[in-house]
């Protein structure tokens, strides 16, 4: 079955380190998104991509970057992790082209100490 | 920019009763989609129900139904015959259309507890 997976599920890192969270989908969806979830804020969009080589900034993009070299993957990189980036991160994908349903990964809980 | 407001942080309901979760939104767009997502303790995001703004008829999925008031920009979720498995956080979300080639804007969420 097609799916979307995130790795790792949990990570603890130190302030100032570079961290990359992986997202891989086998739906062959063009659209991929990264959100962060924080109590009192719901889910907020970090970056998104509508296809290979396409990336766009979302609402809370500072300190994060993404790259889209193929359809299946959209890794999220924290350039220099900060305590304010402690959060749960969700990757999602959607077919677009009139199909509105988004499919979410299981989430990655990142703790920056 | 679009905004989604869920003003109730928590609600509680007795098993088998009916509960309504509120959501309001703000947009200048005429074509858009609205969603309710459920997030149980497993953290998985599950689509509960979807409403197209151009449809006047309220969407229904089994025990879940919405009251969509386009002029008032209100989109509430009614859960009938509440079950213990409905205990979760619920998010209201907005997507611009047409084409649906867009990102979701979420409300802050509401924690629903179903009491046995």
């Amino acid at each position: 079955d097609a799916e979307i997976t995130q790795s790792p599920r949990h990570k603890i890192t130190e302030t100032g380190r570079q961290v990359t969270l992986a997202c891989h989908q086998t739906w062959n969806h063009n659209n991929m998104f990264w959100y962060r979830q924080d109590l009192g804020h719901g889910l907020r969009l970090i970056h998104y991509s509508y296809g290979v080589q396409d990336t766009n900034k979302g609402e809370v993009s500072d300190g994060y970057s993404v790259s889209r070299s193929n359809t299946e993957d959209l890794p999220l990189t924290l350039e220099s992790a900060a305590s304010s980036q402690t959060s749960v991160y969700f990757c999602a994908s959607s077919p677009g082209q009139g199909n509105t349903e988004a499919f979410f990964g299981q989430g990655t809980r990142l703790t920056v100490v | 920019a679009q905004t989604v407001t869920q003003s109730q942080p928590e609600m509680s309901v007795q098993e088998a009763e009916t509960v309504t979760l509120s959501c309001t939104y703000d947009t200048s767009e005429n074509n858009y989609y609205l969603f309710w997502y459920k997030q149980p303790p497993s953290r998985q995001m599950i689509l509960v129900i979807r409403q197209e703004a151009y449809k006047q008829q309220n969407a229904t999925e089994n025990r879940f139904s919405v009251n969509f008031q386009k002029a008032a920009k209100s989109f509430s979720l009614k859960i009938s015959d509440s079950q213990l498995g409905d205990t979760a956080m619920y998010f209201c979300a907005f997507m611009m259309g047409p084409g649906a080639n867009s990102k979701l804007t979420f409300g802050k969420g509401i924690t629903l507890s179903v009491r046995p």
Side-chain angles (χ1 to χ4, degrees):
Chain A
D1 289 340
E3 59 182 3
I4 180 167
T5 56
Q6 294 182 231
S7 60
R9 294 293 308 276
H10 303 272
K11 185 170 182 65
I12 301 174
T13 191
E14 294 179 344
T15 301
R17 289 193 177 268
Q18 183 181 80
V19 176
T20 296
L21 308 183
C23 176
H24 179 81
Q25 53 100 1
T26 59
W27 300 97
N28 201 35
H29 288 165
N30 287 324
N31 303 340
M32 295 185 73
F33 308 86
W34 274 104
Y35 297 88
R36 61 177 288 175
Q37 181 180 5
D38 304 287
L39 194 64
H41 290 277
L43 281 77
R44 293 178 292 175
L45 184 65
I46 306 171
H47 281 286
Y48 58 103
S49 169
Y50 288 151
V52 176
Q53 301 301 330
D54 175 73
T55 61
N56 305 278
K57 293 181 178 180
E59 177 188 0
V60 289
S61 61
D62 287 348
Y64 304 94
S65 63
V66 294
S67 61
R68 187 90 180 270
S69 59
N70 57 54
T71 301
E72 296 80 15
D73 299 289
L74 187 71
L76 177 71
T77 297
L78 286 68
E79 305 294 344
S80 177
S83 58
S84 61
Q85 295 177 308
T86 292
S87 186
V88 178
Y89 291 86
F90 284 95
C91 180
S93 71
S94 69
Q97 298 173 341
N99 188 329
T100 61
E101 185 163 5
F103 298 84
F104 284 81
Q106 321 95 302
T108 295
R109 180 176 294 280
L110 176 67
T111 302
V112 183
V113 298
Chain B
Q2 287 66 231
T3 59
V4 177
T5 302
Q6 295 179 254
S7 56
Q8 306 155 302
E10 296 180 358
M11 288 193 74
S12 179
V13 64
Q14 194 74 32
E15 192 176 11
E17 297 293 309
T18 295
V19 64
T20 299
L21 311 182
S22 301
C23 173
T24 59
Y25 60 94
D26 189 27
T27 184
S28 58
E29 302 291 328
N30 193 46
N31 295 319
Y32 51 87
Y33 305 86
L34 295 163
F35 307 82
W36 278 98
Y37 280 88
K38 171 185 178 181
Q39 186 182 47
S42 67
R43 210 165 63 195
Q44 184 65 44
M45 293 290 287
I46 302 166
L47 177 63
V48 174
I49 202 164
R50 170 179 52 209
Q51 175 79 42
E52 292 89 341
Y54 65 86
K55 290 187 177 179
Q56 293 185 339
Q57 185 173 6
N58 289 325
T60 299
E61 290 286 344
N62 300 315
R63 297 183 295 107
F64 299 88
S65 61
V66 298
N67 182 5
F68 173 48
Q69 302 288 328
K70 190 173 183 179
K73 297 180 180 175
S74 171
F75 183 62
S76 60
L77 175 69
K78 185 172 80 172
I79 306 174
S80 304
D81 185 26
S82 297
Q83 301 176 0
L84 297 179
D86 295 334
T87 292
M89 181 164 278
Y90 288 82
F91 292 97
C92 179
F94 174 101
M95 177 188 289
M96 276 201 300
N101 209 25
S102 188
K103 54 271 190 193
L104 290 161
T105 300
F106 287 89
K108 295 181 179 180
I110 178 171
T111 301
L112 176 67
S113 300
V114 180
R115 306 185 304 273

